[in-house]
Amino acid sequence: MMMKKHRVFIIMTAAEICVLLVLILQSQVLLKERVAREIPQKQELVKELELTDLAIWTEARYTRHPSQADFFSPFQDCPSSLEHFPAGSVVAAPDRRESSGGTGP
Amino acid sequence: MRRLKILEYAISSLWRRRYKNLSIIVVFSFTIAVLASILLLTHSLRVEATHILQDAPDVVVQRLVAGRHDLIPTDLVESFKEIPGVGEVRPRFWGYYYDAISGANYTLIGLDEGAPPDLELLEGSLPASAGACAVGSGVSRSRQVAIGDELILVDSRNIGVAFDVVGVFRSESDILTNDLVVFRSLDLVEFFGLPEDRATDISVQVFNENEVATVAAKIKRKHPETRPITKSEIVRTYDAVFNWRSGMMLTVFFSALIAFCILAWDKATGISADEKMEVGILKAIGWGTSDILELKFWEGFVISVTSFLVGQILAFVHVFVFGASFLAPVIKGWSVLFPDFRFVPYLDLYHIFVMGFLTVIPYVASTIIPSWKTAITDPEEVMRT
């Protein structure tokens, strides 16, 4: 006898929820393990080498060190020039509203 | 029981138009997978940056000349030390190097004199003497150098200088060290030809973290040509960079969102003649308006919940198993050295619930509303039209 369609749907949905839950639970186990192992090691690196930024975008100095960049770095080569680097579109302007000691543009 | 029968009928009805509905599920799942991938990726990077940058210098002081970052006089170190609450003050020597061989940019960092620390994420050691260096795994790959090899770089006088590679950072630290080359400070000063009394910037330790902003303000007042950058500003920068509202992420996010809106709008603006006829026949054989609405609710629910769950699973696997390999080219830009992402699976359940709320409910609503308009019309009229 063919299984009724609604049963197939309920079983499939339950299976999908189970897969998602397994992925979430597994990731949480992995998270604890990786946070305990990797984060202190990376913090040690940051502390000893006095690093300030992540090495993600190495194409320009203001994308390599967004936190250390001048306020108008993309436009330094020529005022009102267009942004050269694609990563500049990914990196949003930092929020300077609560800036403590920085100089505003 | 009655509800299950209506669900059974709804699924049978969907199955009759299976190619159309399957294609809707595929497009809908893909849209949700893109949206969820962006949320998972940016959240993971943001939380990781917040954690690992907790040990960044309390204040980094730059010097600005004509609005540009300039080398800072090292005699300011003593001036900063006089500020109450300030601990260690160290000049930092670092800069950028364009490597014509690989076409990549490296970040060169100088280490203080004294015994270098042992680092867990470093194979070998940091340079303890002149003429030695430690490199990130990206540099090691692009120049094909390992511990014991020589790394030849061209200095500011256009002379090739050979450094002994004594350490290579492990790939687990790529997010911080991929493009790094670490030297002794004196080597770096000589390599870049920096003036003797100048540094790139100065790091300032503040004993009480509540006083960091005050110390930064005092530095600024005392030396108006400087720009102090506090640790909280560094962390906040990454909060803004990896905010899903930022730049390209927003573009991708909204493209997917607009695709979803078009899908929902197409459903909401009307139902086909066949579907109208079906509603008319169901009413003619005795189905009530509420039964029709329940039927349409289940139709929308089956499609949207299936798509939502499939989309979430795909996003999860894409980001945390495959390192967001489809999105990586979008964020990579023109970087020659780009780290292999190993995202730490930080999850925000709030994002999952918001995604569920924003995708399932509008889709179900857009399925019910046009059917309700048909269901309240006289069945005879519906069947005639």
Side-chain angles (χ1 to χ4, degrees), chain B residues 249-295:
Chain B
M249 289 302 165
L250 187 69
T251 315
V252 178
F253 188 86
F254 268 101
S255 305
L257 204 62
I258 287 167
F260 167 70
C261 289
I262 292 170
L263 193 75
W265 181 252
D266 184 52
K267 289 286 288 180
T269 47
I271 54 176
S272 67
D274 280 354
E275 284 171 291
K276 275 187 187 170
M277 178 72 102
E278 186 186 356
V279 171
I281 292 169
L282 288 174
K283 285 212 76 176
I285 60 171
W287 283 49
T289 304
S290 61
D291 300 329
I292 307 261
L293 293 185
E294 194 173 336
L295 167 70

Side-chain angles (χ1 to χ4, degrees), chain B residues 153-167:
Chain B
L153 302 174
V154 180
D155 71 6
S156 59
R157 292 161 297 171
N158 205 24
I159 297 171
V161 185
F163 293 95
D164 296 323
V165 178
V166 294

Side-chain angles (χ1 to χ4, degrees), chain A residues 100, chain B residues 58-59 206 208-217 230-232:
Chain A
S100 53
Chain B
D58 291 328
V59 183
V206 181
N208 182 350
E209 65 178 77
N210 296 325
E211 289 179 358
V212 171
T214 314
V215 169
T230 61
K231 183 161 56 183
S232 69

Side-chain angles (χ1 to χ4, degrees), chain B residues 29-39 252-253 256 311 315 327:
Chain B
S29 303
F30 177 75
T31 310
I32 291 171
V34 172
L35 289 172
S37 294
I38 290 171
L39 289 177
V252 178
F253 188 86
L327 275 181

Side-chain angles (χ1 to χ4, degrees), chain B residues 7 24 34 66 82 92 145 149 217 228 245 278 316 318-319 340:
Chain B
L7 174 62
I24 289 175
V34 172
E82 289 166 8
R92 298 198 316 156
V145 289
D149 292 342
R245 289 186 292 262
E278 186 186 356
F316 211 91
H318 171 223
V319 175
D340 285 332

Side-chain angles (χ1 to χ4, degrees), chain B residues 283-308:
Chain B
K283 285 212 76 176
I285 60 171
W287 283 49
T289 304
S290 61
D291 300 329
I292 307 261
L293 293 185
E294 194 173 336
L295 167 70
K296 290 296 166 186
F297 165 80
W298 282 118
E299 283 186 12
F301 183 83
V302 167
I303 287 185
S304 55
V305 166
T306 305
S307 307
F308 171 73

